[in-house]
Amino acid sequence: MISLHRQPLVVIVCGILLWTITAQINHYLAVWHLNLFTGGLMVAHAALRFRSRVIWRITLPLGLWLDAASAVPFGMHAALFLLAGVIIHRVRGRTPRVDTASGVIAAVSANAILFVVIAIAFAIRGPVQTGVLYTLLVNLVLSSALVALIAPWYIALQTRALELAGINAHMQLGLSAHD
């Protein structure tokens, strides 16, 4: 039972590590006005593997963590992460959850959708400048490529971190259909 309380904490720490790495990369890419987003990767693995009660314990704090360091209205990432987690959780019965390829596809899809929704939210707030759409498209393509490239590493990181914490990550897959 204790391991059930450690699950969210372990995955949140992995998410913060991913955010830190992404923030550092973004620091170096700022010279070229580029920005990478890996939020979908933080949500996808948890939504594919865990029970619904654990998913919100993971996505809400990670979303709030991103909100604290972003120029978005506070709670925006948290709400979008929760929504993405719920949607992935609802459709996960139709996909193989253990397969790394399905995790990569879910992460890239969630990342692209979250990126577009956040971009639209910013576009609604004020006038859009001429070169912004091109920059957003480049950022979306680069973010999708990065997520596809590092998703297998991140999934393995989370699985290994859960194992080191004494939690068998593969036990999560024996869930009932209504979870």
Side-chain angles (χ1 to χ4, degrees), residues 89-173:
H89 185 277
R90 298 299 288 173
V91 300
R92 76 181 187 178
R94 298 177 192 102
T95 62
R97 293 187 264 168
V98 212
D99 188 17
T100 302
S102 64
V104 172
I105 292 168
V108 170
S109 302
N111 199 68
I113 292 169
L114 288 169
F115 185 93
V116 169
V117 169
I118 292 169
I120 290 171
F122 274 114
I124 292 172
R125 293 174 69 184
V128 179
Q129 297 176 354
T130 319
V132 170
L133 293 178
Y134 174 73
T135 303
L136 285 175
L137 182 62
V138 170
N139 286 342
L140 175 61
V141 169
L142 289 176
S143 295
S144 296
L146 177 68
V147 168
L149 183 66
I150 66 170
W153 166 78
Y154 187 68
I155 291 169
L157 172 73
Q158 285 186 341
T159 303
R160 184 66 178 137
L162 288 166
E163 289 172 0
L164 288 174
I167 302 164
N168 186 351
H170 297 291
M171 294 285 291
Q172 304 304 318
L173 301 175

Side-chain angles (χ1 to χ4, degrees), residues 38-101:
T38 56
L41 186 53
M42 293 180 191
V43 175
H45 185 257
L48 286 173
R49 295 281 177 117
F50 296 113
R51 297 179 185 268
S52 57
R53 286 172 272 155
V54 177
I55 293 169
W56 73 265
R57 291 180 193 153
I58 294 168
T59 56
L60 183 65
L62 281 174
L64 292 173
W65 184 273
L66 265 70
D67 284 333
S70 300
V72 298
F74 192 73
M76 184 174 178
H77 282 108
L80 291 174
F81 279 18
L82 282 170
L83 182 62
V86 167
I87 292 170
I88 294 170
H89 185 277
R90 298 299 288 173
V91 300
R92 76 181 187 178
R94 298 177 192 102
T95 62
R97 293 187 264 168
V98 212
D99 188 17
T100 302

